[in-house]
Amino acid sequence: MGKASAFTVNDDRRNDMRNVRPVKVGDCVLDGKHIYIQSMLNARSDDIEGSVKQAVELEKAGCEIIRAAIPNMDAVRLIPAIKEAVNIPLVADIHFDYRLALESAAAGVDKIRINPGNIGGMDRVKAVVDACRAKNIPIRIGVNSGSLQKEILAKYGSPTPEALVESAMTHAAMLEHFDFNDIVISIKSSDVQKMIASYRLAAEKCSYPLHLGVTEAGTERMGLIKSSIGIGSLLCDGIGETIRVSLTDDPVREVEAAKDILKSIGKRGGVRLVSCPTCGRTRIDLVKAAKMVEEAVKDMDKDITVAVMGCIVNGPGEAREADIGIAGGDGCAVIFKKDGTQRKVSEAEIVPELLAEIDKL
């Protein structure tokens, strides 16, 4: 597995709420002790070189599990090419044709994403289960609002949380019928409230690891807002072992967003930046300074809080819990530390001097 943060979840609510059945995906163990970040390639499946390049970029950005669409037999060639280039697990996204799952398993993929109900009869489900069992490959059951079985949709009238969860449990039962339990479940919706309700219900009904995400969340702006609410709410409830932020954008942006969501709720280490919205008292270009500091510290592994504040009111006062920060003055700022030490710098020196002090911590 690629380098992961040493910061792991220590949340009694998680352990009390669900006794998660651990599932191993490559070197990743989905058991709630570490929330794994996923993303999916969006390069064309017939572009091997482009897909490999994107996979490498995702791993460098902090992605811990990569998924690739396998729409046809030619796309199976992606699997050995990507696995040779990266050190993190690869998931094959399969729809309809069970033979693609068999070939993906033979090619060495680390997990299969499939809906057992849409690949044909139970003989085909058994063939996939047997292939996965032989190589210790788990199966993720992916259910969403557009994939419900006709009978379940007729029963509930619409893709309600109850309908989505029943669909997922029905698919899981098909695998359990063949004594297969290395299962991960996702129950996604583009409706945030429905997504949250579905996962909460699933958490009550099963012990399988849950893959969280708001599907079809949109472009970066709204997609990030919807994903933060949906994924963040569930993680704060102690629900979820792996996450994917779905954005109509470069998948690297998904990974960055996922890292920020985890960091903001205390489930990853790294620098936490707090900055004030500014007001009429501000006498420095705080917006520019805050953006510069944010960019500079985003990949630091220091477990500290940095404050970028506009004035003395919300500087060492409101931000006194920060490990280090700045409070703006009139064309200058004070760099302050949690130990009480302070020193004055000019506006031009704010960012470089603050970063220099951060390096010393």
Side-chain angles (χ1 to χ4, degrees):
M1 188 184 74
K3 183 180 179 182
S5 168
F7 189 89
T8 55
V9 176
N10 184 14
D11 190 340
D12 291 338
R13 289 173 303 166
R14 171 177 295 279
N15 297 326
D16 290 344
M17 183 171 185
R18 299 188 72 223
N19 183 20
V20 178
R21 186 186 191 282
V23 171
K24 192 173 183 183
V25 183
D27 290 333
C28 301
V29 180
L30 307 187
D31 60 4
K33 294 179 181 178
H34 179 91
I35 310 301
Y36 291 93
I37 294 172
Q38 299 199 28
S39 186
M40 186 171 184
L41 302 180
N42 63 7
R44 287 176 56 110
S45 63
D46 55 3
D47 180 3
I48 304 294
E49 183 179 351
S51 295
V52 169
K53 180 175 181 291
Q54 193 172 70
V56 170
E57 291 172 349
L58 284 171
E59 182 179 29
K60 288 181 179 178
C63 185
E64 294 163 315
I65 300 175
I66 294 176
R67 181 158 51 112
I70 307 294
N72 50 49
M73 286 299 177
D74 283 342
V76 176
R77 296 183 299 142
L78 284 170
I79 295 170
I82 291 172
K83 285 188 64 63
E84 185 176 345
V86 301
N87 297 306
I88 56 178
L90 178 63
V91 181
D93 193 80
I94 309 291
H95 289 274
F96 309 120
D97 190 344
Y98 80 106
R99 295 170 298 178
L100 296 175
L102 301 182
E103 291 301 317
S104 295
V109 82
D110 298 293
K111 183 167 73 171
I112 301 288
R113 186 274 192 188
I114 201 167
N115 279 347
N118 72 12
I119 61 172
M122 289 296 281
D123 57 331
R124 295 182 177 183
V125 174
K126 184 178 186 301
V128 173
V129 165
D130 289 344
C132 289
R133 190 189 342 260
K135 294 202 169 188
N136 296 315
I137 299 171
I139 294 174
R140 171 159 76 90
I141 296 170
V143 173
N144 59 54
S145 298
S147 68
L148 289 180
Q149 302 95 312
K150 291 181 180 178
E151 60 274 18
I152 291 179
L153 195 56
K155 176 180 177 181
Y156 291 95
S158 66
T160 64
E162 292 77 12
L164 291 165
V165 173
E166 182 171 325
S167 176
M169 296 303 104
T170 300
H171 289 314
M174 296 173 72
L175 304 183
E176 293 165 349
H177 178 76
F178 298 110
D179 296 320
F180 188 87
N181 299 104
D182 284 336
I183 299 169
V184 180
I185 290 177
S186 66
I187 308 174
K188 298 185 179 181
S189 173
S190 58
D191 182 307
V192 177
Q193 289 182 309
K194 187 180 295 182
M195 172 265 193
I196 293 172
S198 297
Y199 278 107
R200 284 176 175 164
L201 182 58
E204 295 175 0
K205 290 186 173 294
C206 77
S207 61
Y208 294 124
L210 298 177
H211 168 109
L212 306 184
V214 178
T215 193
E216 301 157 4
T219 55
E220 184 176 16
R221 177 175 172 272
M222 281 306 298
L224 179 54
I225 292 171
K226 292 169 71 174
S227 296
S228 298
I229 296 169
I231 294 172
S233 295
L234 291 164
L235 290 177
C236 287
D237 284 346
I239 297 171
E241 284 63 54
T242 179
I243 66 174
R244 190 250 173 129
V245 176
S246 298
L247 301 176
T248 309
D249 210 309
D250 184 334
V252 168
R253 300 295 293 151
E254 297 185 348
V255 175
E256 292 172 347
K259 289 165 67 176
D260 287 341
I261 290 171
L262 292 174
K263 189 187 299 184
S264 70
I265 56 176
K267 298 190 185 296
R268 283 292 171 101
V271 177
R272 295 170 297 280
L273 178 68
V274 296
S275 60
C276 74
T278 77
C279 69
R281 289 186 293 267
T282 308
R283 296 294 183 266
I284 61 172
D285 189 347
L286 191 76
V287 174
K288 178 181 178 181
K291 289 181 178 179
M292 291 174 66
V293 174
E294 180 181 48
E295 180 62 26
V297 304
K298 68 177 184 180
D299 294 321
M300 289 184 182
D301 59 4
K302 295 177 182 288
D303 193 14
I304 60 173
T305 299
V306 176
V308 181
M309 310 304 245
C311 72
I312 197 67
V313 171
N314 50 22
E318 292 182 15
R320 63 181 175 273
E321 295 303 315
D323 296 280
I324 189 169
I326 65 106
D330 191 354
C332 62
V334 171
I335 296 179
F336 61 90
K337 296 182 180 180
K338 199 168 187 176
D339 62 10
T341 58
Q342 300 182 7
R343 69 183 177 92
K344 187 177 179 180
V345 295
S346 69
E347 183 169 4
E349 297 175 314
I350 290 173
V351 174
E353 289 297 318
L354 176 61
L355 294 178
E357 292 292 342
I358 291 172
D359 284 340
K360 297 174 185 178
L361 295 178

